[in-house]
Amino acid sequence: MDVSTLPPPVTHESDTCAVVRAILARVGDKWSILIVRMLGDGSMRFSELRRSIEGISQRMLTLTLRNLERDGLVERTVTPTTPPRVDYELTDLGRSLQSITEAFGRWAVTHRDQIENARIRFDARQ
Amino acid sequence: MDVSTLPPPVTHESDTCAVVRAILARVGDKWSILIVRMLGDGSMRFSELRRSIEGISQRMLTLTLRNLERDGLVERTVTPTTPPRVDYELTDLGRSLQSITEAFGRWAVTHRDQIENARIRFDARQ
DNA sequence: CGGTATCCGTTGAGATACTG
DNA sequence: CAGTATCTCAACGGATACCG
């Protein structure tokens, strides 16, 4: 058996940390999660996303979608009509991320008060 | 029964999204997850963290720890000796976050290759 | 409609020096 | 040892204008 083909058994955790950190940096930006969640209900076109995500600029929507597409989380489909039509939908990879963000969402909702209270107490001490 | 006292039953998901986004922004920064994971093994003092987290500056370690403390994820204990000793450890709230970050970590490790390949293909198309 | 390109203010984060 | 203060530069992100 060739040992070199074994997955590294997480000898030093920093590897894993670096990966987690990279993913979080990717999906932890201002708009990615919001977009992934919106697309969770099915394919949407650019202007739909733009309208349904309050406060996002056209530039940031484009940039965020490009990054998600680059990472293989979102697929972009162009229909070259006039006017052009561009649809976005989650890939299998993108959908696999959903359960994680949902777990995160439940944690956030469950603990939001604890965090809020901790902040109030902390700020009061200063 | 006063309807106004009922928690909003997530009529529109944007509320939840905002919370998730805020938490991700908090814990999705460059160093927080790394610190939470280091502290997962038990209490550590400032200089220990500094040495074990490669590349972090003293300033960013201080700032990140302060933010984690403010949100109630980390507890700071000062022992006023000379030289002073400051220990950091996860609170219950911080530990409750661990299972989430671990799930995230498993997802990241499992799909890192898919993401990497998606990037390579995307960049090749440009 | 679905983008790019450009400008510009705000924030993030490293380097360095100083302090109780 | 465990910070704080200051400086600096880069990245993020909004506003606006233009294009196929």
Side-chain angles (χ1 to χ4, degrees):
Chain A
M1 179 176 189
D2 183 2
V3 177
S4 68
T5 61
L6 286 174
V10 194
T11 53
H12 211 247
E13 278 199 18
S14 48
D15 273 0
T16 307
C17 286
V19 178
V20 175
R21 193 145 59 85
I23 305 286
L24 274 175
R26 170 81 290 286
V27 92
D29 66 11
K30 197 170 178 181
W31 304 109
S32 292
I33 288 290
L34 226 46
I35 292 178
V36 168
R37 291 175 76 99
M38 295 307 299
L39 292 178
D41 298 332
S43 155
M44 291 178 80
R45 50 192 300 193
F46 188 85
S47 48
E48 279 185 288
L49 283 168
R50 184 154 158 61
R51 275 192 303 274
S52 58
I53 299 176
E54 190 164 12
I56 196 170
S57 64
Q58 191 172 25
R59 177 175 171 272
M60 288 317 296
L61 180 54
T62 301
L63 283 177
T64 309
L65 285 169
R66 281 292 173 288
N67 282 326
L68 292 172
E69 188 194 357
R70 184 168 113 95
D71 287 356
L73 299 169
V74 160
E75 188 178 355
R76 178 174 180 265
T77 309
V78 182
T79 312
T81 56
T82 47
R85 175 194 179 97
V86 182
D87 290 277
Y88 293 91
E89 64 181 327
L90 292 183
T91 60
D92 288 344
L93 187 59
R95 271 185 292 275
S96 78
L97 183 61
Q98 274 195 292
S99 59
I100 306 288
T101 65
E102 274 163 24
F104 215 104
R106 280 191 297 276
W107 185 90
V109 170
T110 305
H111 297 94
R112 63 187 298 181
D113 289 349
Q114 286 183 61
I115 292 175
E116 189 53 38
N117 290 335
R119 282 186 187 168
I120 291 171
R121 280 198 306 277
F122 182 89
D123 294 344
R125 285 203 298 274
Q126 309 311 316
Chain B
M1 181 176 186
D2 183 2
V3 177
S4 69
T5 61
L6 286 173
V10 193
T11 54
H12 212 247
E13 279 199 17
S14 47
D15 273 0
T16 307
C17 287
V19 177
V20 174
R21 194 146 57 86
I23 305 286
L24 273 175
R26 170 79 288 287
V27 91
D29 67 10
K30 197 169 177 182
W31 304 108
S32 291
I33 288 289
L34 225 47
I35 292 177
V36 167
R37 291 176 75 100
M38 294 306 301
L39 292 178
D41 297 332
S43 156
M44 292 177 81
R45 49 192 302 193
F46 187 86
S47 49
E48 279 183 291
L49 283 168
R50 184 153 157 64
R51 274 192 304 272
S52 57
I53 299 176
E54 190 164 10
I56 195 170
S57 65
Q58 191 170 25
R59 177 176 170 271
M60 289 316 297
L61 180 55
T62 301
L63 284 177
T64 309
L65 284 169
R66 282 292 173 286
N67 282 326
L68 292 172
E69 188 194 358
R70 185 170 113 95
D71 288 355
L73 298 169
V74 159
E75 187 179 355
R76 178 174 179 265
T77 309
V78 182
T79 312
T81 55
T82 45
R85 174 195 181 98
V86 181
D87 290 277
Y88 294 90
E89 63 182 327
L90 292 182
T91 61
D92 289 344
L93 186 59
R95 270 185 292 274
S96 78
L97 183 61
Q98 275 194 290
S99 59
I100 307 289
T101 64
E102 274 163 25
F104 215 104
R106 279 192 298 276
W107 185 91
V109 170
T110 306
H111 297 94
R112 61 186 301 180
D113 289 348
Q114 286 183 63
I115 293 176
E116 189 52 39
N117 290 336
R119 283 186 187 168
I120 290 171
R121 280 197 306 274
F122 182 90
D123 293 344
R125 284 202 299 274
Q126 308 310 317

